[in-house]
Amino acid sequence: MNNKYERLGYIDNLRAVLMLYGIVVHSLTLGDVSVKEALLYPSSLVRMECFFIISGLVATLFYEKYGALETFKMRVNRIGIPLLFGIIIIVPSANILIKSYTNQIPITESFNLYISPNLQFYEDKMSWHLHLWFLIPLLIYTPITLIGKKITKAIYTISDKPNIVFLILFLALSSTILRASYAYTTNTTTLDFSFIIRETLYQSSFFLLGCILANSKNLFLDFKSNNSLFFSAIVPLIALSIYFRNSELGNLLKLASIFNEAIIAFILSSFLIQVFERLGKLDGPVMKIVIRSSYTTYILHYLVIYMFALTYNNFELPSEILIPFVGLSTIICTTLFHKYAVEKNSILSKLLNGK
């Protein structure tokens, strides 16, 4: 691997698939189906954790190639603009449709709320960030990207041949301590940012690992090649995770549960990266379009999911049909919208893709 930028192809593929998996997960908010828990559980273990590892890796490679100033500009544009547009326009619109669907209000009435808002309609607290919360930590993590090389050098100062297993254990412990700090924070502040505080603290170790992997070819290779060692532990760790989730836990066991699931997330991320590396770059024309449009799709998907859900409401479809139908419709619609609108309109491209 003479040019480490070559690995971006399959990393981008994995990132796009994780985003599409998010659409599957969020489509499940429409109702209950027999496979709901089976689909939600893997997502809760690895989806966002792996995404943040990839984000740290890609951001660091961009920094190495273009420097600090361009990296800062890129992150402000690529993350900040879609976040601002999403919070002002997309999330409020999605929240109205979600409330409309949940309360079984006709779609015409839900759109009338824009013109003549019903304050009673907003009594229940609605998420101001919805699915776009992940963009906030990505902005906050910019300094980690810029000092990632120094952190990696510090690791090699401690040990000439750092062990990836010990690094993962250390980062998992860091995530656990940081989430415990979140628990303390929520008891001492009335700020309505508790979820974002929690995830920003917890996911920072995953982002940091991505930065370290980008700065160390040896650690990156070790991360992908230690699967035999990792997977000897995965079954008991997942069994322990299920036990913890179904038990009443004291504070010490809650910390053990967080630590356990952080390790699982690192192991499964290692496996996913290796799988997608072996798959190689997906060059099919359909897959190319889907991957290229994945950011647009993810930014818009909650709004589009509930637009389709309200549209199909009159058909009284069972959840087993409605959910996959809405999810697939959302992916197709947003992919085509990206190809024929976002890519051809500089304003839409800036608002939804930050470029």
Side-chain angles (χ1 to χ4, degrees):
M1 191 167 64
N2 295 325
N3 181 4
K4 60 184 173 182
Y5 298 102
E6 290 174 3
R7 69 181 183 242
L8 285 175
Y10 68 83
I11 290 294
D12 283 341
N13 293 347
L14 175 53
R15 181 167 53 178
V17 168
L18 290 171
M19 287 185 169
L20 293 177
Y21 184 22
I23 296 170
V24 173
V25 169
H26 294 150
S27 295
L28 291 169
T29 60
L30 295 175
D32 291 321
V33 290
S34 57
V35 297
K36 185 172 184 175
E37 290 304 317
L39 290 170
L40 290 177
Y41 182 61
S43 173
S44 68
L45 286 179
V46 71
R47 180 172 64 89
M48 293 310 300
E49 288 81 354
C50 187
F51 175 83
F52 278 105
I53 290 173
I54 291 170
S55 297
L57 191 151
V58 172
T60 300
L61 292 180
F62 190 96
Y63 166 60
E64 288 186 357
K65 191 172 183 180
Y66 297 105
L69 182 59
E70 283 302 312
T71 299
F72 178 77
K73 288 180 180 177
M74 180 273 292
R75 293 185 74 76
V76 169
N77 286 323
R78 189 90 163 111
I79 300 168
I81 294 174
L83 174 62
L84 188 62
F85 179 68
I87 288 175
I88 294 173
I89 302 296
I90 297 171
V91 172
S93 303
N95 272 325
I96 286 176
L97 297 187
I98 291 168
K99 294 284 287 183
S100 175
Y101 179 81
T102 303
N103 296 323
Q104 295 298 298
I105 299 171
I107 191 168
T108 50
E109 290 187 27
S110 70
F111 283 112
N112 285 338
L113 289 168
Y114 283 110
I115 303 168
S116 181
N118 180 356
L119 295 180
Q120 185 78 22
F121 190 77
Y122 294 93
E123 278 189 354
D124 293 335
K125 188 176 175 182
M126 291 188 288
S127 172
W128 58 271
H129 50 76
L130 207 55
H131 61 299
L132 300 181
W133 66 268
F134 76 100
L135 294 173
I136 298 172
L138 286 179
L139 275 178
I140 294 171
Y141 295 157
T142 298
I144 298 178
T145 305
L146 303 183
I147 63 173
K149 188 178 287 292
K150 292 183 179 179
I151 294 171
T152 308
K153 284 182 179 178
I155 292 171
Y156 276 93
T157 301
I158 297 169
S159 173
D160 291 338
K161 294 182 179 179
N163 188 298
I164 190 66
V165 175
F166 285 117
L167 179 60
I168 285 174
L169 289 173
F170 174 77
L171 291 174
L173 180 61
S174 298
S175 285
T176 304
I177 293 171
L178 289 169
R179 184 170 281 194
S181 301
Y182 148 79
Y184 172 78
T185 302
T186 55
N187 289 329
T188 57
T189 181
T190 57
L191 289 175
D192 185 26
F193 284 83
S194 58
F195 174 80
I196 291 180
I197 292 171
R198 184 190 79 184
E199 290 304 309
T200 300
L201 291 171
Y202 178 71
Q203 302 289 355
S204 60
S205 295
F206 295 92
F207 187 89
L208 175 58
L209 178 64
C211 296
I212 293 169
L213 296 181
N215 283 300
S216 171
K217 179 181 178 180
N218 291 335
L219 282 174
F220 186 70
L221 292 174
D222 286 345
F223 184 66
K224 297 183 297 179
S225 63
N226 269 296
N227 284 318
S228 58
L229 175 62
F230 289 157
F231 274 86
S232 62
I234 196 66
V235 173
L237 288 174
I238 288 178
L240 191 59
S241 166
I242 294 170
Y243 169 76
F244 281 146
R245 290 194 179 200
N246 291 284
S247 304
E248 290 290 331
L249 303 177
N251 289 335
L252 190 59
L253 285 179
K254 285 179 181 178
L255 290 174
S257 175
I258 296 168
F259 180 66
N260 178 59
E261 294 201 352
I263 294 173
I264 292 171
F266 283 118
I267 293 173
L268 292 180
S269 296
S270 163
F271 173 72
L272 287 171
I273 289 173
Q274 188 178 66
V275 167
F276 273 78
E277 182 183 34
R278 289 182 177 179
L279 286 173
K281 193 165 178 61
L282 304 175
D283 290 324
V286 174
M287 197 62 195
K288 274 185 176 179
I289 295 170
V290 170
I291 290 170
R292 203 165 62 237
S293 64
S294 61
Y295 196 32
T296 296
T297 295
Y298 200 81
I299 295 292
L300 291 174
H301 79 273
Y302 237 122
L303 174 64
V304 179
I305 282 172
Y306 279 89
M307 285 178 64
F308 277 119
L310 284 165
T311 302
Y312 299 150
N313 218 14
N314 292 332
F315 297 105
E316 297 182 357
L317 299 172
S319 295
E320 288 78 8
I321 296 175
L322 176 68
I323 290 172
F325 193 39
V326 166
L328 185 59
S329 298
T330 298
I331 293 171
I332 293 172
C333 176
T334 52
T335 299
L336 293 175
F337 180 73
H338 177 86
K339 179 175 175 58
Y340 294 106
V342 176
E343 286 189 346
K344 299 180 185 302
N345 186 292
S346 59
I347 296 175
L348 284 175
S349 180
K350 197 74 174 175
L351 292 175
L352 295 173
N353 283 185
K355 61 180 183 179

